[in-house]
Amino acid sequence: MSTTNPIIEIVNVVASAVLGQKLDLNDIQKKFPDVEYHPDTFPGAVFRLKNPKSSTLLFSTGKMVNTGTRSEESAVKAVNTVVVKLRKGKIKIKKDAVVTIQNIVSSINLGRHIHLERAARMLPRSMYEPEQFPGVIHRMVDPKTVILLFASGKLVCTGAKTESDVYRSVNNLHSMLEEKGLMIYD
């Protein structure tokens, strides 16, 4: 029974930010023609960046939501880059944005198949309804995350607030799977 370390890849970081002031989204769209703003269908404007590649939703309340980066650091950088660009475009931004990481989504490959039915029975806080969804939904308490387990040995971890939470969740689950003999070794 040879053990392999899981391969963990962060695929999306969602960050919210607060500017503490109102934004005139019509003015922003005039000064930045690439910004998408269609108030009749969605109340936010979409500000896309090439580096770091991401999208930031801007709301008139001064709140922002950034998605698409692959690290906490890149998410913060993306929000700050949008603020700098707005200032350069003569949009008055009084304070720097206060950024909070809301969710980190990662993709994991354990390199081994998983016995899903047994995993659903033996792992606490797990649910498996194969007619509705092909994976086991496992809710972790500490750190508070949700991990989707698939028979292929692929996992999706969501709900983490820090990158270290992702690694702790995956490593805790990997240990439980090994201890309970839930992985298939060729």
Side-chain angles (χ1 to χ4, degrees), residues 98-165:
V98 178
V99 182
T100 307
I101 302 300
Q102 297 295 338
N103 185 18
I104 299 176
V105 180
S106 56
S107 169
I108 300 96
N109 187 345
L110 295 177
R112 300 275 180 255
H113 286 77
I114 302 170
H115 291 285
L116 288 187
E117 275 118 24
R118 286 176 43 205
R121 282 195 312 271
M122 296 174 81
L123 295 175
R125 298 168 310 283
S126 291
M127 188 175 86
Y128 184 46
E129 295 180 22
E131 313 79 38
Q132 292 179 13
F133 183 73
V136 170
I137 302 167
H138 175 69
R139 296 182 188 285
M140 267 211 170
V141 176
D142 182 33
K144 191 174 180 203
T145 57
V146 174
I147 301 181
L148 307 177
L149 296 81
F150 299 95
S152 64
K154 301 262 189 344
L155 312 174
V156 174
C157 177
T158 185
K161 303 278 189 197
T162 65
E163 291 173 35
S164 66
D165 281 353

Side-chain angles (χ1 to χ4, degrees), residues 24-91:
D24 181 341
L25 299 181
N26 288 312
D27 189 34
I28 290 171
Q29 188 189 29
K30 278 184 201 127
K31 291 177 177 170
F32 296 90
D34 290 346
V35 168
E36 292 173 34
Y37 182 47
H38 307 285
D40 46 317
T41 56
F42 184 72
V46 183
F47 198 120
R48 294 181 205 285
L49 291 178
K50 286 187 174 70
N51 189 20
K53 190 172 183 336
S54 65
S55 297
T56 302
L57 299 175
L58 307 173
F59 296 95
S60 59
T61 59
K63 292 186 176 171
M64 304 163 72
V65 176
N66 177 272
T67 63
T69 63
R70 292 176 177 256
S71 71
E72 294 171 70
E73 188 183 332
S74 291
V76 172
K77 181 182 177 195
V79 169
N80 291 333
T81 299
V82 169
V83 170
V84 166
K85 286 181 179 283
L86 290 173
R87 285 177 174 150
K88 281 184 181 168
K90 305 282 189 269
I91 304 291

